[in-house]
Amino acid sequence: MTKKQKQKSVWGHYKEAIGNKMLLLFIASSFLFAVAAYLLNVTIPLFYKDIIDAIFTGGTLEVVVPFFRGLALVTLIYFIFDRAYEHVDIWLMVKALKKVSTYAARIPLDHSYSFFVNHFAGSLVNKEKKFFGAFDRMVNIIFREFLYAIVVVCGVLFVLFKYSVVLGSLSAFWFVIFFYTMYRSTRMRIPYERLKGNAQSVTVGVLSDIIGNVLNLKYFSSKKREMEYLDKFLVKESDSRNKAWAMAARAYTLQGFIVNAAKLSLMFVSILLWSYGEITSGVIVLVISYSGILFNKLGNIGSVMRQFAESYMDASEFVEILNTKIDITDPEHPEVLNIKKGEIYFKDVSFGYAEERMVIKNLNLEIKSGEKIGLVGSSGAGKTTVTKLLLRFADVTKGAITIDDQRIDAITQDDLRSVIAYVPQDTVLFHRSLRENIAYGKADATLEEIEEASKKAHAYEFISGLDKGYDTLVGERGIKLSGGERQRVAIARAILKNAPILILDEATSSLDSESEKYIQEGLEELMKGKTTIVIAHRLSTIQKMDRIVVLEGGEIFEEGAHSDLLKKKGRYAELWKHQSGGFIG
């Protein structure tokens, strides 16, 4: 029913993010850089060689001038290619980074709610940022550092072999030694870089968790305890960083020795060949120039390889997220949404996180269009799980759920949730304006519609008293608002959405008694003509429901109207009797 998720490499994800066309543009633009690199590092030193030879052989100014003109022309051509590449590279990179950023933000959002429950938000964001930054660094290293090395090494070897087989062979020998050493040291560093990157992500996640729970930290005076807890992860991070950097330092030492040995040996052999009359003074200048340009650059290649390895590991961390199997998927060929009345049917539905841990057991529940039911039961009875299954935050283990005779797993998740308005017990808002948060239920809502919805939810009273009114920013997760104010915003949002199905998860739990009275009036108006499911701990909030369903152990224990259930003197009557302060004991 669904496509099998492919496991892609780092480059596979980057390629998918930017597309084949942009990849070809990057490759094509590298031609400009290759020409510029060759002219600057291979061709221009040849003119220095010719000028020196002309001078040392007693050449006149007339002999030297043509070489100088050639040098000036080549320098101009180099400058044009170099500047053209720079402008094209900036244009391409800006567009590519936008695509990578969009891709990195979009793909994880396809995961189910349970995925985000099991991952630190701070750690996810940190890995996503590193994936984004790694693309910029690795592309620059590949198309600048690596391409530079290939073009210049090949060019230098070609020229040196032309003037002296001995110098060309010696240079080739040192290049092979250097690149083999660099390859081996990079392979050895990768595991250490991976450990360092993982340790950093875990530390960021722990720190994010501590900051996100700063009120608990202050309530319980636990700053010292939390710092000690964080320090355990900082020690692991420091240890992994120390090992990675120590390995890199050893590699730099060896590469530095090779570079200096290569430069000295080439200089010595050049002087010997000159003394035997095998080469001219200009060739010695050429060797000195090439050695300075090439080996100094190669001397830094170790640092570049470390950056490349770190960047690759940074990207790999997020690729693990991108390659994580998506447990709740849309059908490959979804049906057209055909839900209008909101008639819900749970048919032989079972659900569990494991075979031995079933939360819902053979549930058969039919909710007619426009019917209002209350779900009650002790903690762990399965009330919230029922709504999660209806919203497809999880998929049933057995059985099926239909709305208006259409299976909910036959349509897209977005289509399904477009016909359901949900008000959770713990409302979390975006760090945006009140206008944007309320309009989240209807993106194109007018200010008049927003005000009407907020009045019905009794949010207008506190919003009108704010200096910036509907333009007031609510803070991260809505922290600038009280719990009751956040709940009213959530109710206004649901009112504005006006979906045929309404789920209220103890929607008045954060309100004081006076506010609750007004909200109940607004909710009664909202529920008219809508199929409504109310999860209730406070039984007084569901007395007027058409039907009350009592769940125990994931099964329907009893159901009926409030008065009828009290007469039965069963589980509901017992809960009603033993409530304390309006909550189930």
Side-chain angles (χ1 to χ4, degrees):
M1 193 172 185
T2 57
K3 290 182 179 178
K4 185 177 179 181
Q5 188 172 355
K6 296 180 180 179
Q7 298 292 300
K8 299 188 185 74
S9 65
V10 170
W11 298 113
H13 282 289
Y14 282 143
K15 181 181 176 183
E16 183 175 341
I18 66 175
N20 290 328
K21 182 179 178 181
M22 185 158 285
L23 177 61
L24 291 174
L25 287 174
F26 268 112
I27 295 173
S29 70
S30 67
F31 171 76
L32 296 172
F33 179 76
V35 171
Y38 189 88
L39 292 175
L40 176 66
N41 299 284
V42 180
T43 306
I44 289 178
L46 282 171
F47 282 97
Y48 296 156
K49 177 258 178 193
D50 291 335
I51 290 172
I52 293 297
D53 279 341
I55 293 173
F56 276 82
T57 56
T60 62
L61 184 61
E62 287 76 13
V63 175
V64 174
V65 167
F67 292 123
F68 187 79
R69 286 175 180 166
L71 175 62
L73 178 61
V74 170
T75 302
L76 176 62
I77 296 172
Y78 151 73
F79 181 79
I80 292 171
F81 273 82
D82 183 63
R83 290 302 85 201
Y85 170 75
E86 190 71 27
H87 284 83
V88 171
D89 182 58
I90 290 172
W91 179 80
L92 272 176
M93 186 58 73
V94 168
K95 289 188 174 295
L97 287 174
K98 170 64 167 57
K99 287 178 176 287
V100 171
S101 182
T102 301
Y103 180 85
R106 176 178 58 84
I107 298 299
L109 295 180
D110 290 334
H111 283 285
S112 67
Y113 176 72
S114 62
F115 170 84
F116 294 96
V117 170
N118 294 315
H119 288 81
F120 280 125
S123 180
L124 282 174
V125 172
N126 182 57
K127 289 178 179 180
E128 185 175 322
K129 286 173 62 180
K130 290 200 287 186
F131 178 80
F132 171 80
F135 175 80
D136 185 18
R137 294 192 298 274
M138 286 197 291
V139 168
N140 275 317
I141 289 172
I142 289 171
F143 288 108
R144 285 181 181 267
E145 305 296 339
F146 292 169
L147 181 61
Y148 172 94
I150 292 171
V151 169
V152 178
V153 166
C154 291
V156 166
L157 286 177
F158 175 78
V159 172
L160 289 181
F161 268 110
K162 176 183 176 182
Y163 288 105
S164 170
V165 174
V166 174
L167 288 175
S169 299
L170 183 59
S171 298
F173 168 77
W174 283 117
F175 290 152
V176 170
I177 294 296
F178 180 85
F179 284 114
Y180 175 76
T181 303
M182 183 178 64
Y183 168 76
R184 290 288 299 170
S185 63
T186 301
R187 286 286 300 272
M188 292 173 65
R189 288 208 310 270
I190 284 177
Y192 294 94
E193 295 294 345
R194 182 181 289 113
L195 289 173
K196 178 170 71 71
N198 289 338
Q200 287 175 332
S201 292
V202 171
T203 302
V204 170
V206 171
L207 182 59
S208 176
D209 187 45
I210 292 172
I211 293 174
N213 285 278
V214 68
L215 285 179
N216 281 330
L217 182 147
K218 294 185 179 296
Y219 289 150
F220 293 95
S221 303
S222 58
K223 177 182 175 181
K224 181 179 178 182
R225 188 197 320 165
E226 291 301 328
M227 290 305 297
E228 290 173 351
Y229 178 73
L230 175 63
D231 190 62
K232 296 176 184 177
F233 296 93
L234 289 173
V235 168
K236 291 180 181 178
E237 182 185 339
S238 296
D239 183 57
S240 64
R241 183 182 291 111
N242 179 61
K243 290 178 179 177
W245 287 0
M247 180 65 71
R250 288 194 287 272
Y252 297 157
T253 300
L254 180 57
Q255 289 167 9
F257 173 80
I258 292 172
V259 165
N260 285 290
K263 290 167 71 173
L264 288 172
S265 64
L266 278 170
M267 175 67 72
F268 179 73
V269 171
S270 297
I271 293 172
L272 282 179
L273 292 173
W274 171 78
S275 68
Y276 296 145
E278 296 291 330
I279 61 174
T280 65
S281 302
V283 175
I284 294 180
V285 171
L286 187 66
V287 170
I288 293 173
S289 180
Y290 281 166
S291 297
I293 292 171
L294 192 56
F295 284 108
N296 285 341
K297 188 70 174 179
L298 291 179
N300 296 326
I301 206 74
S303 175
V304 171
M305 287 302 298
R306 179 179 67 82
Q307 293 175 30
F308 187 83
E310 287 180 346
S311 299
Y312 190 85
M313 289 303 104
D314 284 349
S316 296
E317 288 182 49
F318 194 64
V319 164
E320 292 178 11
I321 301 297
L322 296 175
N323 283 338
T324 300
K325 182 180 179 181
I326 298 173
D327 53 342
I328 309 295
T329 57
D330 288 333
E332 188 173 349
H333 302 291
E335 296 178 3
V336 176
L337 180 67
N338 190 30
I339 296 174
K340 294 180 175 64
K341 297 185 297 181
E343 188 169 275
I344 304 169
Y345 187 20
F346 288 76
K347 184 178 181 180
D348 298 324
V349 169
S350 295
F351 170 76
Y353 300 100
E355 284 292 333
E356 65 278 3
R357 204 178 143 218
M358 301 302 289
V359 181
I360 301 295
K361 305 169 185 174
N362 298 315
L363 178 67
N364 284 282
L365 176 62
E366 186 173 1
I367 308 172
K368 296 178 181 178
S369 175
E371 186 179 14
K372 301 159 188 60
I373 72 163
L375 292 180
V376 301
S378 56
S379 179
K383 303 182 296 296
T384 299
T385 303
V386 167
T387 61
K388 284 184 177 179
L389 292 174
L390 181 59
L391 286 159
R392 278 202 79 199
F393 288 161
D395 272 337
V396 300
T397 305
K398 188 181 74 173
I401 303 173
T402 63
I403 304 176
D404 294 349
D405 295 324
Q406 186 170 41
R407 287 180 60 118
I408 64 171
D409 58 357
I411 58 178
T412 67
Q413 296 170 70
D414 285 343
D415 279 349
L416 169 66
R417 292 162 194 160
S418 71
V419 296
I420 302 174
Y422 178 62
V423 181
Q425 181 177 356
D426 182 20
T427 299
V428 177
L429 304 178
F430 288 97
H431 179 33
R432 300 172 190 172
S433 69
L434 281 163
R435 182 201 305 266
E436 291 170 295
N437 273 287
I438 295 174
Y440 213 73
K442 184 182 178 184
D444 59 349
T446 64
L447 180 58
E448 291 72 20
E449 290 174 315
I450 293 171
E451 288 181 345
E452 181 64 24
S454 62
K455 286 176 181 177
K456 289 180 179 179
H458 287 269
Y460 181 80
E461 288 84 347
F462 82 84
I463 294 175
S464 60
L466 299 172
D467 291 339
K468 295 185 178 180
Y470 288 95
D471 293 322
T472 302
L473 295 176
V474 302
E476 187 176 1
R477 298 172 66 86
I479 196 171
K480 292 184 180 180
L481 303 181
S482 69
E485 289 169 341
R486 289 198 298 271
Q487 204 75 331
R488 294 188 216 183
V489 171
I491 293 169
R493 193 160 55 190
I495 291 172
L496 196 58
K497 187 172 183 178
N498 194 28
I501 299 172
L502 177 65
I503 299 176
L504 304 174
D505 187 354
E506 196 59 47
T508 61
S509 62
S510 298
L511 305 177
D512 56 71
S513 299
E514 183 177 358
S515 296
E516 182 182 356
K517 174 177 177 294
Y518 292 123
I519 295 300
Q520 287 289 2
E521 293 174 1
L523 290 176
E524 287 174 12
E525 182 67 27
L526 171 64
M527 288 187 288
K528 285 181 180 179
K530 291 180 174 57
T531 305
T532 306
I533 300 174
V534 180
I535 297 177
H537 299 290
R538 203 159 30 177
L539 301 185
S540 60
T541 62
I542 59 167
Q543 294 180 62
K544 296 180 181 180
M545 295 291 103
D546 298 325
R547 182 163 44 120
I548 296 171
V549 178
V550 182
L551 295 176
E552 284 298 326
E555 300 177 286
I556 296 178
F557 190 83
E558 59 185 354
E559 58 183 313
H562 170 75
S563 57
D564 295 334
L565 290 175
L566 288 181
K567 290 175 184 177
K568 285 183 179 180
K569 296 183 179 180
R571 180 59 176 152
Y572 180 78
E574 183 182 339
L575 292 172
W576 180 266
K577 180 180 178 180
H578 288 92
Q579 268 198 8
S580 176
F583 292 93
I584 296 175

